[in-house]
Amino acid sequence: MSKTDLKKDVIIVGTGIAGSLIAKLLTDHVFDTKKGKMIHRADVQKPEDIQELSVLMFEAGLEAGLELDSVSSLTTYNEYMRTFFTQEAKVPNSPYPNLKQAPSPNVLDMEPIIPPFPDKKGYLVQFGPMPFASDAIRVGGGTTLHWLGTTPRMLPNDFRLTEKYGIEINQPDSKGKAPINWPIDYETLKPYYEMAEFEIGVSGNVSKQEYPISESMEEYYGDYVFPMEEIPQSYMDQKIIDGLTGTSVQLNFENIPLMMVPSPQGRNSIPNPKYGKTKIIKAETRKSGYKLVLDSSGKEEYKALGSVWNPYMGERCEGNASCVPICPVQAKYNALKTLKKALYKMNENENLVRNPHLEIKAQSVVYRLSVDQEDKDRISKVHVRRYISKEKTDFVEEVFDTSGSIVILAANAFENPKILLNSKYTVTENGQKVEKTVANRSDQVGRNLMDHMVMLTWGLFPEAVYPYRGPGSTTNISSFRDGKFRSEFSAWISPLDNWGWSWPAFSPGSDLSEFLGKGLFGAELKEALASRLSRQVLFHFEIEQLPDPNNRVTINDQYTDALGIPRPVIHYELTDYEKRAMEQAKLASDQMFAKLDIQDFTKYNATDNNTFVYNNVRYSYNGAGHIVGTHKMGSSPDDSVTNSYCKSWDHPNLYIVGAGNMTTLGTSNPTLTLSAFTIRSVESILADLEIQLKN
């Protein structure tokens, strides 16, 4: 075992968007030893009075994914692209290394569960009784490498489901009920949404956003524009909009007008001249501590940020249509762009130089934390298994002293709880030895696992609409994102997908196979393919799931990976609240298909991996990759893992950030929201650093 005593101010586990945002924002600030305050680099007046922050990051993925110099970045990304081209199943994880030492959940590994036996084919050990259907990737930059890039904000009522709709959830292992309001509201998060949209580089048109909320768009957005102009809506979307504008559907004895909204997106288009100069996110000192602001004193006009290896490549979306799983030119945002800003800083000559105070250790799997009970239960050690190569499972055991550091878990919503649940320590209470779990006073670590249930419907438009072009989705139907029906069944958002039937029916390969089986060849085959593929439409219903303490990630020493680390054990089921929403969403789809004269080819089969029968009708669902809720924030240590700044209630130097902090899921893709509250958490981290660096 190697013991490492190298002192760091901050240790971050994970290089996805949460970890990269924190690394970037912290390294943008320095400690002014004369003022005893953290200040932004732009405000440094006397360099001799400045103390740099020392930051260490751990990444479970390969070293190759984190070499962010231009040559190595291009080489690695080209390898991802070559792998993607050769894969038969173009699933989200298909371009990226499938590591024995740091395995990832893969949708191709998921199978039906036959209780009491688990599905343990892949990385996840699934006891169900229903399969959890989403994946994630353990690689430099995290799951933002294969995300779609859609960036709607949450709606005000998403933060107050109990207050608005009387919804309460089960308490762990009891028949009691508990409220589920967030410890923060939309107004609190709004300025941090703007910071996240700046950092990601969001394209969109505020004036075209329309949601079923009581607030006006002026109240919701304020005097604001997105950094970049709207990505044009696809031709297919325009044809659907033409057919549905001014119409409504009837659900639950209520007419719901159809709103078709151009989706805000984290991909490059034309910078919006109204947005103004490039901005910086900087901390200002307040009586209460630090407050991050989006400072507009930049010298240059806002520019789209291109690829990691070449800022002039990927400055505009090229419509490659492979956003999931990979953008060939990196016009779509990924967290490596933010991480590179942490790794390279401007010197006094305004040249980019490598930041020597930030170190990233790749191929390093953090699996346990230790606690110093003599020092206010501070996290005292981080335990790491560092594997040597992609081919071998040999590893070196390393232990890092964190007694003088702030420790930040910034892995995904499977890995953060897995690390915490594997971190046991013993205390003496009333003369008895009691085993505890790090950060788990509330017994909420690993609980409340959520995802958007994706119900797909597909059919043939009466004329050619030419899918398979442009970004994966450019329009969403926002009508069902909020409403009084939420007291009875889930809300949902409906993106219009530009992928034809590729997701539910594996088109175009399946179409080719079908027509060849019918004996078509030559001109007949070409004509049949052209007729079908050009008319394929796919509707997509992302259905909110409520937090349920019995939907959870646990660990069990019977199930370990190649490094001997426990794998995530999943217990998961849908309730009638979500199932009824699928029933209602299918009714909405039927009405929209009828209005558009779409021939419905939707079929759910008993052989589907993720399927159930509700009110004598079969439905099947997919995962959205929106894995949230396993270390939720809250207002009390009795029922949550962290406070609203993502700081552990139990340990003064531990932060736990990422999608796992989300109290509820709402109807928006979670990346923008987790980015917003992660940015907000930096205010608390800076305050803790001030105290730490003064001592």
Side-chain angles (χ1 to χ4, degrees):
M1 180 184 294
S2 168
K3 202 167 186 178
T4 304
D5 295 321
L6 185 64
K7 295 287 186 179
K8 297 290 183 180
D9 297 316
V10 181
I11 291 177
I12 302 172
V13 179
T15 64
I17 191 166
S20 295
L21 277 169
I22 289 177
K24 189 261 183 186
L25 292 172
L26 290 183
T27 56
D28 279 349
H29 291 81
V30 293
F31 184 63
D32 188 317
T33 57
K34 287 290 178 68
K35 296 178 180 178
K37 295 290 182 184
M38 303 298 303
I39 64 171
H40 194 276
R41 290 177 178 276
D43 296 331
V44 171
Q45 295 178 343
K46 294 184 178 181
E48 63 272 18
D49 294 339
I50 294 309
Q51 179 179 336
E52 294 274 358
L53 292 178
S54 59
V55 180
L56 172 62
M57 301 183 76
F58 292 108
E59 168 54 49
L62 295 176
E63 188 84 41
L66 288 168
E67 294 169 338
L68 295 182
D69 61 281
S70 296
V71 174
S72 299
S73 295
L74 179 58
T75 300
T76 299
Y77 208 74
N78 280 343
E79 182 60 33
Y80 292 164
M81 288 301 304
R82 279 192 291 271
T83 303
F84 167 63
F85 290 143
T86 61
Q87 294 295 314
E88 181 178 355
K90 312 293 188 184
V91 296
N93 286 5
S94 59
Y96 307 106
N98 184 16
L99 302 172
K100 293 175 289 187
Q101 307 88 340
S104 299
N106 193 316
V107 294
L108 296 179
D109 293 329
M110 295 171 193
E111 297 181 339
I113 298 166
I114 305 174
F117 305 104
D119 166 24
K120 52 185 180 179
K121 175 184 176 184
Y123 173 51
L124 302 180
V125 180
Q126 298 227 39
F127 277 88
M130 302 179 74
F132 188 84
S134 279
D135 56 15
I137 190 71
R138 296 165 79 186
V139 67
T143 306
T144 56
L145 288 184
H146 78 212
W147 73 313
L148 175 57
T150 307
T151 55
R153 301 180 184 183
M154 289 182 75
L155 303 181
N157 285 347
D158 295 336
F159 295 87
R160 52 196 187 204
L161 288 182
T162 299
E163 176 189 332
K164 292 296 293 185
Y165 302 113
I167 298 171
E168 294 185 325
I169 59 168
N170 296 327
Q171 291 183 312
D173 305 317
S174 80
K175 295 182 179 179
K177 295 287 186 178
I180 49 173
N181 294 328
W182 286 59
I184 51 177
D185 58 16
Y186 175 78
E187 281 301 312
T188 300
L189 212 53
K190 184 155 68 169
Y192 305 97
Y193 271 130
E194 294 182 9
M195 295 178 206
E197 286 160 352
F198 163 70
E199 180 59 36
I200 290 172
V202 169
S203 300
N205 188 335
V206 167
S207 68
K208 291 186 181 179
Q209 299 303 300
E210 186 179 9
Y211 310 130
I213 57 178
S214 57
E215 296 83 359
S216 67
M217 286 296 104
E218 289 74 19
E219 293 175 288
Y220 183 77
Y221 277 111
D223 183 17
Y224 179 72
V225 296
F226 291 118
M228 289 181 280
E229 303 279 7
E230 169 192 325
I231 297 281
Q233 293 166 285
S234 69
Y235 178 77
M236 179 193 76
D237 290 2
Q238 293 292 346
K239 297 299 291 185
I240 293 171
I241 290 167
D242 290 346
L244 294 181
T245 296
T247 69
S248 62
V249 300
Q250 186 167 20
L251 295 180
N252 206 34
F253 308 108
E254 179 184 1
N255 267 334
I256 300 178
L258 294 175
M259 307 172 184
M260 282 143 295
V261 178
S263 300
Q265 304 184 47
R267 54 176 47 82
N268 290 333
S269 68
I270 299 169
N272 189 338
K274 294 180 181 178
Y275 189 74
K277 307 279 187 185
T278 289
K279 298 170 172 53
I280 58 174
I281 302 171
K282 61 185 288 190
E284 293 184 347
T285 307
R286 305 283 173 86
K287 286 183 179 180
S288 58
Y290 291 95
K291 186 75 172 177
L292 290 179
V293 298
L294 196 57
D295 185 273
S296 301
S297 59
K299 300 176 183 177
E300 298 181 351
E301 294 298 319
Y302 180 88
K303 294 180 180 178
L305 182 60
S307 69
V308 172
W309 60 86
N310 181 351
Y312 303 109
M313 184 175 186
E315 285 188 291
R316 303 289 184 272
C317 172
E318 298 179 1
N320 285 290
S322 64
C323 315
V324 178
I326 189 167
C327 174
V329 297
Q330 286 195 349
K332 182 187 71 175
Y333 170 85
N334 69 67
L336 294 176
K337 297 185 179 187
T338 295
L339 187 61
K340 189 161 186 176
K341 294 177 189 176
L343 275 168
Y344 291 88
K345 301 295 184 186
M346 287 285 188
N347 64 11
E348 62 274 10
N349 299 319
E350 296 195 353
N351 292 320
L352 276 178
V353 294
R354 180 69 164 79
N355 177 9
H357 306 286
L358 173 61
E359 180 183 3
I360 305 178
K361 289 184 175 291
Q363 298 173 203
S364 298
V365 183
V366 173
Y367 71 97
R368 186 162 67 86
L369 308 176
S370 290
V371 174
D372 184 353
Q373 295 171 51
E374 303 301 318
D375 189 11
K376 301 177 182 177
D377 282 350
R378 289 178 66 86
I379 302 301
S380 58
K381 295 181 179 64
V382 169
H383 300 259
V384 179
R385 288 183 177 164
R386 190 169 195 278
Y387 57 95
I388 310 305
S389 70
K390 179 180 177 180
E391 289 74 27
K392 298 181 179 180
T393 56
D394 298 349
F395 62 86
V396 176
E397 188 84 23
E398 296 181 330
V399 180
F400 292 82
D401 180 5
T402 65
S403 55
S405 308
I406 292 173
V407 177
I408 302 169
L409 295 187
N412 66 46
F414 290 136
E415 300 304 316
N416 275 350
K418 189 187 82 173
I419 294 168
L420 294 171
L421 292 170
N422 199 42
S423 302
K424 305 288 187 182
Y425 63 107
T426 303
V427 301
T428 301
E429 294 181 353
N430 300 320
Q432 300 290 321
K433 290 189 177 296
V434 178
E435 187 179 65
K436 290 191 173 184
T437 302
V438 166
N440 201 24
R441 184 192 338 177
S442 62
D443 188 31
Q444 290 294 316
V445 169
R447 295 189 184 272
N448 308 300
L449 175 66
M450 292 174 277
D451 190 13
H452 281 124
M453 306 296 97
V454 176
M455 190 188 76
L456 303 174
T457 60
W458 58 100
L460 288 180
F461 208 77
E463 60 183 275
V465 289
Y466 307 108
Y468 302 99
R469 305 186 306 171
S473 180
T474 55
T475 302
N476 70 82
I477 302 173
S478 67
S479 310
F480 313 99
R481 293 189 64 190
D482 196 20
K484 60 184 181 182
F485 62 83
R486 289 178 92 171
S487 62
E488 299 181 44
F489 56 85
S490 301
W492 68 80
I493 192 171
S494 293
L496 302 179
D497 287 348
N498 294 332
W499 294 317
W501 298 354
S502 58
W503 194 352
F506 307 104
S507 293
S510 59
D511 303 292
L512 176 62
S513 178
E514 176 189 339
F515 292 143
L516 287 173
K518 291 179 177 178
L520 300 185
F521 191 72
E524 281 188 309
L525 175 61
K526 182 178 179 180
E527 183 179 343
L529 286 171
S531 174
R532 178 178 289 183
L533 296 177
S534 66
R535 295 189 294 128
Q536 289 181 352
V537 292
L538 178 65
F539 280 28
H540 172 163
F541 300 83
E542 288 188 7
I543 295 165
E544 178 182 26
Q545 183 172 26
L546 291 181
D548 183 334
N550 296 317
N551 285 341
R552 62 190 301 196
V553 178
T554 63
I555 59 172
N556 187 319
D557 289 340
Q558 292 182 18
Y559 308 108
T560 57
D561 63 20
L563 298 186
I565 299 170
R567 293 154 58 187
V569 177
I570 309 300
H571 302 265
Y572 187 73
E573 188 170 18
L574 304 183
T575 68
D576 283 352
Y577 185 80
E578 291 94 22
K579 291 177 180 178
R580 187 173 179 208
M582 290 192 201
E583 175 187 64
Q584 296 297 309
K586 184 60 169 68
L587 290 174
S589 176
D590 291 345
Q591 293 174 63
M592 290 187 286
F593 274 25
K595 293 176 191 299
L596 294 166
D597 199 22
I598 291 173
Q599 183 183 359
D600 195 348
F601 277 70
T602 305
K603 187 175 183 181
Y604 306 127
N605 301 306
T607 54
D608 293 343
N609 289 337
N610 314 309
T611 188
F612 62 88
V613 174
Y614 181 71
N615 286 340
N616 298 316
V617 178
R618 180 168 297 283
Y619 301 92
S620 295
Y621 66 93
N622 296 273
H626 301 165
I627 309 163
V628 310
T630 52
H631 44 85
K632 71 172 185 175
M633 65 168 69
S635 302
S636 166
D638 296 330
D639 59 9
S640 58
V641 179
T642 75
N643 67 14
S644 66
Y645 289 93
C646 306
K647 184 175 182 177
S648 164
W649 293 110
D650 300 356
H651 309 282
N653 65 330
L654 177 63
Y655 286 79
I656 310 160
V657 301
N661 292 98
M662 294 181 68
T663 310
T664 62
L665 180 53
T667 56
S668 56
N669 308 55
T671 301
L672 185 73
T673 296
L674 80 86
S675 299
F677 64 66
T678 295
I679 291 169
R680 183 174 179 268
S681 76
V682 172
E683 295 175 352
S684 179
I685 298 170
L686 289 172
D688 286 351
L689 280 169
E690 178 188 315
I691 296 170
Q692 183 173 294
L693 294 170
K694 281 180 177 178
N695 295 334

